[in-house]
Amino acid sequence: MAQPQPETQPAGALPRPTLESVAELAGVSRATASRVVNGGTGVREVLREKVQRAVDELGYSPNLAARTLVTRRNQAVAVVVAEPESRIFSDPFFAQHLRGISRELAAADNQMLLLLIEDERDYERVGRYLAGGHVDGALLFSLHQSDPLPEMARRVNLPTVIGGRPGWPGAESDRELVYVDSDNRGGARMAVQHLRSLGRTRIATITGPLDQTSSLDRLDGYRDLLPDGDPTLIAEGDFTPDGGSRAMTELLARRPDLDAVFAASDAMASGALRVLRAHGRRVPEDVAVIGFDDVESIAAWTDPPLTTIRQDIEEMGRLMARLLLRRLATPAQPLAPTSVITPTRLVRRESA
């Protein structure tokens, strides 16, 4: 096995505490000190505590290359998002999701490495990185139909957790597949039921991209309560405000008599509200509007404030990271449960 190289510092810099100085202060061998600071096992608790006190007193930071040799772990996780950069950094949904992931990984002393898929050319680059041994596992979310990322991770035997219900053939019966999602279908049913309870009868919906399972599940929830619904009351969006605006304009042109809209995201609902106002429609008096997500920076600040279906976006990110870390800690044991579905609930504000 290759031996860790001696630690050095730039000429003229103050001497940096070494592993030898930690061992000397703790009164243990260098090998024992190495096992403690690099996360190894087989050290008595009393010695572990002595080493930790020495580390704290000296301000020692372990050599990451040496740690990797001892633990076979990089302490790094790739987070791969199949969306363009422009959307990742403008949509608060992703900020909340990534915050949950980052906090959970940081609490376990792991680094988050963000990889984005801008277009088809990026898959080869990301695939090479995932296969290169740089990370211990991957969290994949915002996947679209026929996305090659899960198969790429499987091919290199990289532990993976998926964000969102997988929709590719055979996914539901794959016992090795681990994913976290919210109750999209149940949340959509809740939204439509609330609109019906208000006496609305011409209820439209703006879906997300129909190559994503979250969009399909929310559309199915809408159809559960409106099985004989008019297809002219359904328009596809793209989870952005502009997509919501375009879909709302299309719906008004088709069905100017509509009296309610369920938008499959808060971002699209905000765009729909803008179009309704421009067309002189009062919300909720003429048209009631419900979103999905409960992203506070959108829902609480629309005019009027948005009634929406809440999913705990940050907690979903935490759960994804937690499941992956558990899988990495016990690679030989099967992971249960194989999927987690988080609940949704109605948050009433002024738009419906």
Side-chain angles (χ1 to χ4, degrees):
M1 177 185 296
Q3 297 297 314
Q5 295 301 308
E7 298 176 49
T8 60
Q9 53 274 331
L14 291 174
R16 191 172 67 184
T18 64
L19 190 58
E20 287 77 9
S21 59
V22 170
E24 183 179 355
L25 182 59
V28 300
S29 69
R30 186 189 189 281
T32 297
S34 176
R35 283 199 296 273
V36 174
V37 300
N38 290 310
T41 59
V43 180
R44 287 185 291 137
E45 189 59 32
V46 63
L47 297 182
R48 187 178 295 279
E49 290 176 358
K50 286 183 178 181
V51 172
Q52 191 56 56
R53 283 197 297 270
V55 166
D56 294 341
E57 183 175 332
L58 295 173
Y60 173 79
S61 296
N63 182 294
L64 294 181
R67 170 180 283 185
T68 298
L69 285 172
V70 172
T71 65
R72 305 295 183 184
R73 290 274 304 277
N74 295 284
Q75 300 296 111
V77 169
V79 178
V80 190
V81 189
E83 297 290 349
E85 177 183 294
S86 58
R87 182 160 175 229
I88 298 299
F89 295 111
S90 64
D91 189 334
F93 171 90
F94 292 104
Q96 287 185 224
H97 207 113
L98 291 171
R99 184 165 63 233
I101 291 171
S102 177
R103 287 177 173 174
E104 193 70 20
L105 292 178
D109 196 24
N110 279 254
Q111 299 299 318
M112 180 181 83
L113 301 175
L114 182 61
L115 305 174
L116 306 181
I117 302 292
E118 187 80 26
D119 56 39
E120 292 293 327
R121 294 170 298 178
D122 290 324
Y123 283 106
E124 182 182 353
R125 171 182 58 82
V126 169
R128 286 198 311 270
Y129 189 85
L130 295 180
H134 307 292
V135 293
D136 302 316
L139 302 173
L140 314 177
F141 70 94
S142 204
L143 301 179
H144 299 255
Q145 282 180 359
S146 303
D147 198 303
L149 283 170
E151 181 56 32
M152 291 163 65
R154 185 196 297 270
R155 197 179 305 131
V156 298
N157 201 30
L158 187 68
T160 301
V161 173
I162 308 292
R165 180 180 66 82
W168 54 87
E172 292 293 344
S173 60
D174 186 348
R175 292 181 177 274
E176 295 298 314
L177 196 63
V178 182
Y179 68 90
V180 175
D181 203 358
S182 67
D183 184 9
N184 291 299
R185 189 166 185 165
R189 286 197 297 262
M190 205 180 306
V192 176
Q193 180 57 48
H194 178 64
L195 292 170
R196 291 175 63 172
S197 74
L198 300 176
R200 308 303 167 118
T201 58
R202 297 176 297 281
I203 302 172
T205 187
I206 298 174
T207 76
L210 294 179
D211 64 347
Q212 290 187 291
T213 55
S214 59
S215 302
L216 293 170
D217 290 347
R218 293 171 199 179
L219 178 58
D220 285 343
Y222 167 87
R223 286 173 167 158
D224 285 343
L225 293 186
L226 299 169
D228 300 318
D230 188 335
T232 63
L233 286 169
I234 299 173
E236 184 176 351
D238 60 3
F239 286 144
T240 70
D242 286 345
S245 295
R246 289 191 295 270
M248 190 71 251
T249 300
E250 181 182 332
L251 287 168
L252 285 175
R254 288 195 216 142
R255 291 297 303 270
D257 61 333
L258 62 84
D259 60 7
V261 178
F262 163 51
S265 77
D266 290 349
M268 293 193 300
S270 70
L273 288 170
R274 186 167 64 238
V275 169
L276 288 168
R277 187 164 50 249
H279 282 74
R281 306 299 176 90
R282 298 170 301 161
V283 176
E285 293 86 354
D286 300 327
V287 180
V289 177
I290 292 184
F292 199 111
D293 289 332
D294 196 30
V295 174
E296 186 175 358
S297 59
I298 298 176
W301 293 95
T302 56
D303 182 19
L306 187 64
T307 294
T308 188
I309 300 299
R310 176 175 175 76
Q311 58 173 339
D312 195 335
I313 301 166
E314 184 170 331
E315 179 62 15
M316 289 168 65
R318 283 185 177 275
L319 284 170
M320 286 179 64
R322 199 172 302 155
L323 287 171
L324 181 61
L325 290 172
R326 190 186 308 167
R327 197 172 202 181
L328 294 173
T330 56
Q333 298 178 15
L335 190 62
T338 55
S339 62
V340 177
I341 306 297
T342 62
T344 51
R345 63 181 177 87
L346 178 71
V347 177
R348 295 191 64 175
R349 294 191 179 91
E350 298 174 26
S351 67

